[in-house]
Amino acid sequence: MSQLKNDTFLRALLKEPVDYTPVWLMRQAGRYLSEYKETRARAGSFLDLCKNTELATEVTIQPLDRFDLDAAILFSDILTVPDAMGLGLYFAEGEGPKFERPLQKEQDVLALRAPDMAKLTYVFDAVSSIRKALNGRVPLIGFSGSPFTLACYMVEGGSSKEFRTIKSMMYARPDLLHHILQVNAEAVTAYLNEQIKAGAQAVQIFDTWGGVLTPPAFEEFSLRYMKQIVAGLLRENEGRRVPVILFTKGGGLWLEAMAEAGADALGLDWTCDIADARRRVGDKVALQGNFDPFALFGTPQSIEAEVVRILKGYGDGSGHVFNLGHGINQFTNPEHVKVLVDKVHELSRA
């Protein structure tokens, strides 16, 4: 593998000295870019794009050619793992992901097993291909959904506003949900380790729906399994540490508990005050975040003011990776993204 030319992102995650605050964006390769839409049209469907090594590599690199970003993130989807478990993932036009065979019967839940990683070779091939294409330009982030977030889709059969089906299972048959979560944790651990072996230099666990839980339910059904994954991950590869980021959307209530999970960094959504978050976690972990994605719909001046506020909130020293508090919106003006990235670099250097 090529020597890294810019390792600022990795050093910030490990709270090592850096010259400026590194920045990358959740969902940085996506529909807000015209070049992505052109590639997606060539691929046919979203899943076809994920499974095409050459095109997945192409869209991963696209935002780096536009913006001075400090990391690339694998172009894939969190639902590749349950798809490999045989649940029949498909994407309905305008409705998001759905499963043909959701886990709503006891016999289906008890039959669930972690997938053979050979079914996910296309993901690991993409990681290797992207690393080669990056040629040491910036580090590559691998990722997975958290066991609970994956379970939400697997039980509900798609996205949900209420999570009635999975919460009913959680309260009425917690044994069934724990079975799903244990299988998911084993699968995610193996999946992320294969990404690391293929060349991912940091990994992030997306706990998108952990924030819908009560505090005791979060500890039992989400954090417990993320801790299990972190404990099972390869933490050294290619002669350097592989940092792990935990991101729970709506998880600001539980930062202290999350900081004890063994990860190197916590992602923050926009509802957290970053100065308060830093006080609460101390020196245990780095922090990633937490610009409101819709602040990109403001003016260049208001974007700069928000960058100033967040950088000032974090304060001096390493350990901050600038990011959005959730994924970038598809209607975002790419010129405003450039303003954001350039201002983070310029103002943090100062």
Side-chain angles (χ1 to χ4, degrees):
M1 296 286 187
S2 302
Q3 185 75 25
L4 255 182
K5 302 176 183 76
N6 174 2
D7 66 352
T8 309
F9 164 72
L10 297 178
R11 285 189 286 119
L13 287 178
L14 300 176
K15 299 177 75 72
E16 295 173 357
V18 291
D19 297 326
Y20 62 90
T21 301
V23 56
W24 70 280
L25 308 176
M26 287 187 275
R27 219 181 282 148
Q28 64 190 23
R31 292 179 289 175
Y32 74 107
L33 296 177
S34 58
E35 55 268 42
Y36 168 86
K37 287 187 266 196
E38 289 167 12
T39 308
R40 163 78 187 265
R42 276 193 285 134
S45 72
F46 177 76
L47 269 180
D48 288 337
L49 179 54
C50 290
K51 293 180 178 184
N52 183 311
T53 302
E54 183 183 338
L55 297 184
T57 302
E58 185 178 305
V59 294
T60 300
I61 303 293
Q62 284 170 349
L64 300 176
D65 291 338
R66 272 209 193 225
F67 316 119
D68 189 20
L69 295 158
D70 293 289
I73 182 164
L74 163 70
F75 183 82
S76 188
D77 192 86
I78 63 169
L79 299 181
T80 52
V81 171
D83 182 44
M85 293 174 177
L87 272 61
L89 176 66
Y90 68 99
F91 286 81
E93 194 61 43
E95 293 183 46
K98 290 186 177 294
F99 284 110
E100 293 170 4
R101 294 173 288 281
L103 298 174
Q104 294 175 356
K105 295 176 182 172
E106 181 170 358
Q107 64 265 32
D108 295 333
V109 170
L110 296 179
L112 188 71
R113 297 290 181 271
D116 181 344
M117 289 297 122
K119 293 181 178 176
L120 292 158
T121 299
Y122 66 91
V123 176
F124 315 133
D125 287 346
V127 171
S128 299
S129 171
I130 294 161
R131 271 297 300 275
K132 187 175 178 184
L134 284 169
N135 194 30
R137 186 171 170 182
V138 292
L140 174 62
I141 305 164
F143 71 91
S144 175
S146 72
F148 179 75
T149 291
L150 296 180
C152 286
Y153 291 97
M154 294 160 74
V155 173
E156 297 286 344
S159 53
S160 174
K161 291 182 179 176
E162 295 180 329
F163 301 95
R164 178 171 58 86
T165 312
I166 191 165
K167 283 193 165 188
S168 298
M169 180 185 288
M170 183 177 78
Y171 288 114
R173 289 296 306 272
D175 57 313
L176 294 183
L177 183 52
H178 278 302
H179 178 77
I180 296 170
L181 295 171
Q182 180 59 34
V183 172
N184 285 354
E186 292 169 9
V188 168
T189 305
Y191 183 57
L192 289 177
N193 280 337
E194 288 300 322
Q195 290 185 38
I196 292 165
K197 290 176 196 171
Q201 291 148 293
V203 292
Q204 176 158 316
I205 299 171
F206 283 87
D207 187 33
T208 311
W209 300 122
V212 307
L213 295 169
T214 65
F218 175 73
E219 287 266 3
E220 180 179 354
F221 294 97
S222 185
L223 186 57
R224 167 183 166 182
Y225 292 97
M226 291 196 289
K227 284 181 180 175
Q228 181 180 324
I229 292 164
V230 173
L233 289 178
L234 297 169
R235 303 303 286 273
E236 295 266 343
N237 195 41
E238 300 176 56
R240 69 185 303 160
R241 186 166 173 86
V242 180
V244 179
I245 308 161
L246 295 186
F247 172 64
T248 295
K249 185 169 177 277
L253 293 170
W254 310 307
L255 295 181
E256 292 88 347
M258 291 176 70
E260 302 289 348
D264 300 281
L266 302 182
L268 306 175
D269 68 18
W270 64 90
T271 64
C272 278
D273 178 80
I274 197 165
D276 181 56
R278 191 177 186 190
R279 279 194 299 273
R280 288 166 59 194
V281 303
D283 292 325
K284 290 191 177 109
V285 288
L287 294 174
Q288 178 178 277
N290 60 337
F291 189 95
D292 182 351
F294 286 98
L296 287 168
F297 288 77
T299 64
Q301 294 75 22
S302 69
I303 291 167
E304 179 175 352
E306 194 65 5
V307 170
V308 169
R309 183 187 70 79
I310 292 170
L311 290 175
K312 187 177 178 184
Y314 185 82
D316 293 336
S318 186
H320 181 206
V321 172
F322 204 101
N323 205 318
L324 305 181
H326 195 45
I328 194 165
N329 182 273
Q330 63 172 307
F331 300 109
T332 303
N333 180 347
E335 290 305 310
H336 286 189
V337 175
K338 186 175 190 316
V339 170
L340 174 72
V341 173
D342 291 348
K343 285 298 174 187
V344 170
H345 286 160
E346 175 194 331
L347 296 169
S348 64
R349 281 183 198 279

